Amino acid sequence: MSQPPMFSIHQLKYKNILSIDQLSIPADTITCIIGESGSGKTTLLKMLNHLISPDSGEIKVNGTSIFDLNPVDLRRKVVMLPQTPAMFKGTVRDNLFIALRFAGRPNVPDSELDKLLARVHLNKDLDTDSESLSGGERQRVGLARVLLLDPPVLLLDEPSSALDEETTHLIMEELTDYVHENKKTLVMVTHSKAVVSDYAEHIIEIRSGHVVRESERVEQ
């Protein structure tokens, strides 16, 4: 028996932005959502953890309607990283700890935070002032913050848009290992053809709010 999807969508409509008859996103898999700017990719991502509610239709998470789930509990299990992560005043350490605070969890030792920064290839001291970080460094702090929470599902919106090609490759290698070793589900919006070609296991293409392609990657 095949594994049930992590997300299943039926007859979803949202304003004039999205109209999706049917869509399944598999569990324990790296799914890339692609399409032109303004096609509805980020809107779809936000619907998967109920940051936005559809005007009509159904979204199920692990077989349960999203409307039957507590939104706060859902967002602790299905964590989204926006393209421009919020940075709070204080240090890099403060910005990592704030995720634990929102999740109602205790702080962890600096050694664990250092390992996270190494995982996202950010060579910064934990006492670094967050206001001094570049856009790419902020993206990596945001990603480290998500990994610190260790959720079952990660929703990433253009996580490498401010990164160079080499850093993107290094981080995607880390994320791929993390997803496969820990049986996580990763759904990401990306414009990077290299990321899709090298790492996507499931591909969803959206055009003008409609799913026009859904496919599995063919190994070269």
Side-chain angles (χ1 to χ4, degrees), residues 113-131:
L113 301 182
D114 284 328
K115 288 178 183 177
L116 277 175
L117 293 185
R119 185 161 221 169
V120 298
H121 295 270
L122 181 58
N123 185 22
K124 289 290 181 180
D125 191 277
L126 290 169
D127 290 317
T128 300
D129 189 336
S130 65
E131 293 185 355

Side-chain angles (χ1 to χ4, degrees), residues 75-96:
R75 290 173 200 141
R76 286 175 175 173
K77 296 175 181 176
V78 182
V79 177
M80 181 171 175
L81 176 67
Q83 182 174 350
T84 305
M87 286 290 118
F88 303 91
K89 286 186 177 181
T91 64
V92 169
R93 182 190 294 103
D94 295 331
N95 272 270
L96 294 173

Side-chain angles (χ1 to χ4, degrees), residues 3 20 33 47 59 63 82 94 107 117 157 166 175 206 217:
Q3 186 177 10
I20 299 175
I33 303 175
M47 287 195 171
I59 303 174
D94 295 331
N107 290 341
L117 293 185
D157 190 7
E166 181 182 0
L175 278 175
I206 298 181
R217 184 177 72 193

Side-chain angles (χ1 to χ4, degrees), residues 34-151:
I34 63 173
E36 296 178 352
S37 296
S39 59
K41 304 183 302 297
T42 297
T43 299
L44 173 59
L45 206 65
K46 289 180 177 179
M47 287 195 171
L48 298 181
N49 74 345
H50 211 169
L51 285 173
I52 296 177
S53 296
D55 295 329
S56 61
E58 181 179 62
I59 303 174
K60 288 186 176 180
V61 184
N62 256 338
T64 300
S65 171
I66 206 165
F67 301 111
D68 293 334
L69 298 169
N70 179 291
V72 174
D73 290 341
L74 174 64
R75 290 173 200 141
R76 286 175 175 173
K77 296 175 181 176
V78 182
V79 177
M80 181 171 175
L81 176 67
Q83 182 174 350
T84 305
M87 286 290 118
F88 303 91
K89 286 186 177 181
T91 64
V92 169
R93 182 190 294 103
D94 295 331
N95 272 270
L96 294 173
F97 279 165
I98 201 163
L100 295 175
R101 194 175 311 137
F102 286 151
R105 289 161 50 181
N107 290 341
V108 298
D110 281 1
S111 58
E112 187 169 333
L113 301 182
D114 284 328
K115 288 178 183 177
L116 277 175
L117 293 185
R119 185 161 221 169
V120 298
H121 295 270
L122 181 58
N123 185 22
K124 289 290 181 180
D125 191 277
L126 290 169
D127 290 317
T128 300
D129 189 336
S130 65
E131 293 185 355
S132 71
L133 300 175
S134 69
E137 289 167 345
R138 289 175 180 226
Q139 279 193 326
R140 281 175 278 173
V141 169
L143 180 56
R145 201 157 51 196
V146 170
L147 294 175
L148 179 59
L149 294 174
D150 195 34

